[in-house]
Amino acid sequence: MNTQTKRVTGRPSAVVLGARTLLSRLFARHSVALLLLLVVAVEVGLGVFVMRDLLTTYSQVDRIYVISVQGLHRIGELQYEAQETRRTTLYALTTNDGNLQVEYADQSRGADRLVAEGIAQYLEQARMPQAIEVGKRLANDWNAYLKVRDDVLGLILESSAEQAVDEDLTSGVSLFDRVRQDLEEIKRLYDEQASQQLALVTRSSRRSELRLIGGFAFALLFASAAIWAIQRNKMHNAVQLAKLQVDFVASVSHELRTPIAAILCAGENFRDGFARRKEDLVEQGSVIVDQATQLASLVDQVLLFAATTAKPQYILRPLQVPEILASALRNTAAVLEKSEFTVEQQVQQGLPQVMGDLGAISQCLQNLILNAIKYSDGERRITLSARVDDSAVGEREVQISVQDHGPGISSSDLPRIFEPFYRSPQVVAAQIHGTGLGLSIAKRVIEAVGGRLSVVSEAGVGSAFTLHLPVARKDSQTDAVRTAAGPGELAT
Amino acid sequence: MRQVLSLFVSLAVVLIQLLSPHRIVRVAVASPRPRTDPRQVLAIIVNRSNPAENLSFAELRKIFLGERSRWPNGHRVVVTMMESGNSERETMLREVYHMNENGYRDYFLKGTYTGDIPASPKTVSSPVILRKFVFNTPGAIGYLRASDVDGSVKVVSIDGRLPDAFDYKLRIEGPAK
């Protein structure tokens, strides 16, 4: 591989990582409830929209009421009082009784006062230029009529009935007609305004209906799509898990068959008397021991994975980093020696203590060392380093890295290497034996003791797996029991 | 000689006092005089649009007797009287018409019959209606107790005297209302 691609699984801060883990756990556990919550939220949003539309419609209807009903009522009153002004003036013509004439004149003046007030009120409330113009015209026409009305009343009271009739016919009738036309014009304006408002309300109602239908359709589609996506995801996971389990069974069967076949073969040699010489006996016995050891190791790993899927308890206590390194190296010394690997150690001086369980962390480190041996591709050198990182947000941490100098991990495999039973096609093709559980176990265990595992891989250069362990606080001397979370919660 | 001179000067002073009306009025105004009760005097009222401010008593009499038909502004004169049986009307009959009720009725019957009088006075039932009548009629003229007058009508003076003048002529006899 000539291309120098570098894949880094980042080093997110503890807060971001915690939040991400919390969210993924929350979504994994309550996906359906969250979906329902989302649908409810969408429905509530729709409800708010509908309520807003209803309120707008109500306000528009209220305006229509004010404009049409109250406005028309006002105009009706104006028309009545204007007629009353004229009617009582004409009543005065029908009598010679001065007392009655004065009474009619009084009534006429009372009515005209109401008309004048009504016109003033109309002008005060008019907003449209057309309405203001008609209102002013009405006020002018009304004043002109009142002038004639006063003359007519005067003539009636002076007992000049004929002149009064002449005056009224000459000027009064035409002026009063103009007043009536003005009032009709105002009425027509009110009708027009009410019609416009009604059209607005109709449009608004239609828009609300469309919004409502669209909203419900959207909510339905959204809910359906979300359900479909979740089900699809679950099905995909289930299928993938089933496939991994089938692969696992096949892999384990294969792994079991090879040593069993060797043991069987050695047994047959013993039974059939092919191994009689001491050297042959030693050779065949060694084969049996080696293969049995391999079998035991395989079974141990499967059992360990099974144990991590339960809720193991770890004793957390402050640990010295060299103590951890020594434990891991001691347990892998035989394999390293047999594989002729050298381990280059780069340990920072004065490292602080870390919190954790010695057995668990040592097991993780062993897995990483064994992986490095397995995937080194001829370069028989491993670098084991430990340093303290002060730049991490939140707690200080100690980083223990195992770096191999193999071919590296392809970018397509990198996101999946921590999945249980996952084995990359290249590894399978290269006939490198394994169960696909080592990294998964390491990740689960290290997270169960409060740390985390990250990987940096560069094609053609190698991979570096790092354990991030929290630095022990000065006051954390007492042992704490920590229970690992369940398998579903740790799976990535 | 000195006595003659002194007598001459005294006579001159007396003559000057007699020939100077302003001097006399000032003296008269300065002297204490009883106030006029507005309930006991009749005010002559006209429409507010009427330009007339003052009438002589003779003009007033002519108007109420129907001998004058137009105001200077061209409006027809409309004399307004209250119905019989009240002291205001009695005062008008006594002070202006110099007649009793019968004489008044006969006078206008005869006048309208012969055409000498264009129209007999309008008769209304109460001071309030009379006031409203005058308010509504540009050429109307009528009378009210000074205490019944308000801003809707105009009071004209008679011979330059308003109702509160001590020598105002139209005084009501009998108890105040």
Side-chain angles (χ1 to χ4, degrees), chain A residues 95-99 101-103 105-106 109 150-151 153-160 163, chain B residues 70 75-76 78 83 119 122-126 128-130 132-133 135-140:
Chain A
T95 179
N96 285 323
D97 184 346
N99 297 310
Q101 286 173 337
V102 168
E103 197 176 315
D106 256 9
R109 288 190 186 284
D150 287 349
D151 290 346
L153 270 180
L155 288 168
I156 292 169
L157 293 171
E158 283 173 4
S159 301
S160 306
Q163 285 179 38
Chain B
R70 298 272 168 193
H75 278 292
R76 202 176 132 190
V78 182
E83 287 173 356
K122 278 269 183 188
T123 308
V124 295
S125 59
S126 70
V128 174
I129 292 183
L130 191 140
K132 285 181 177 175
F133 186 93
F135 167 71
N136 280 298
T137 314

Side-chain angles (χ1 to χ4, degrees), chain A residues 2 60 64 124 136 144 178 190 195 238 262 290 307 324 358 361 365 406 459 473:
Chain A
N2 294 327
Q60 284 170 340
I64 287 179
E124 197 178 308
K136 283 180 178 171
R178 283 170 62 179
Y190 273 124
S195 300
D290 285 350
I324 297 168
L358 180 61
I361 298 172
L365 205 51
R473 291 177 187 167

Side-chain angles (χ1 to χ4, degrees), chain A residues 152-382:
Chain A
V152 170
L153 270 180
L155 288 168
I156 292 169
L157 293 171
E158 283 173 4
S159 301
S160 306
E162 280 183 21
Q163 285 179 38
V165 170
D166 280 348
E167 178 72 12
D168 188 62
L169 289 175
T170 311
S171 311
V173 171
S174 58
L175 282 171
F176 193 75
D177 269 349
R178 283 170 62 179
V179 168
R180 207 155 38 199
Q181 282 165 12
D182 293 341
L183 287 169
E184 286 296 327
E185 177 76 8
I186 290 174
K187 199 174 168 184
R188 192 184 60 74
L189 283 177
Y190 273 124
D191 281 342
E192 266 181 18
Q193 273 180 281
S195 300
Q196 284 170 1
Q197 289 293 321
L198 190 64
L200 265 178
V201 170
T202 309
R203 273 205 298 276
S204 171
S205 299
R206 202 159 293 157
R207 206 167 47 236
S208 299
E209 280 172 18
L210 284 174
R211 273 185 193 165
L212 196 63
I213 292 168
F216 276 119
F218 171 75
L220 194 67
L221 280 175
F222 180 76
S224 304
I227 289 168
W228 176 79
I230 285 178
Q231 290 302 328
R232 187 172 176 273
N233 189 37
K234 279 187 174 173
M235 199 169 70
H236 177 72
N237 287 344
V239 167
Q240 206 170 28
L241 188 64
K243 185 174 178 297
L244 286 171
Q245 283 172 341
V246 168
D247 290 348
F248 171 71
V249 170
S251 173
V252 168
S253 302
H254 178 74
E255 294 294 316
L256 288 172
R257 271 190 77 175
T258 310
I260 286 171
I263 291 168
L264 192 63
C265 185
E268 283 172 353
N269 286 341
F270 284 129
R271 186 193 65 192
D272 298 341
F274 290 119
R276 287 184 182 171
R277 292 182 302 159
K278 191 180 177 185
E279 297 84 28
D280 292 338
L281 288 171
V282 169
E283 188 187 352
Q284 294 301 316
S286 297
V287 167
I288 290 170
V289 169
D290 285 350
Q291 296 303 319
T293 306
Q294 198 176 335
L295 265 177
S297 166
L298 186 63
V299 170
D300 282 350
Q301 212 167 20
V302 172
L303 286 174
L304 185 59
F305 176 73
T308 58
T309 57
K311 291 189 176 179
Q313 286 192 337
Y314 296 106
I315 308 297
L316 302 186
R317 64 182 177 83
L319 300 171
Q320 294 289 350
V321 176
E323 184 186 2
I324 297 168
L325 300 180
S327 170
L329 287 172
R330 190 167 54 245
N331 291 337
T332 53
V335 183
L336 286 165
E337 191 181 348
K338 190 178 176 185
S339 309
E340 299 174 346
F341 267 71
T342 57
V343 177
E344 184 187 334
Q345 289 193 55
Q346 298 174 351
V347 180
Q348 189 181 333
Q349 292 298 312
L351 283 173
Q353 288 185 316
V354 294
M355 277 302 283
D357 181 287
L358 180 61
I361 298 172
S362 175
Q363 180 64 54
C364 291
L365 205 51
Q366 287 168 49
N367 279 12
L368 298 180
I369 292 169
L370 291 174
N371 266 7
I373 294 169
K374 203 185 286 182
Y375 301 109
S376 276
D377 197 22
E379 183 71 31
R380 299 183 181 282
R381 185 164 56 90
I382 296 169

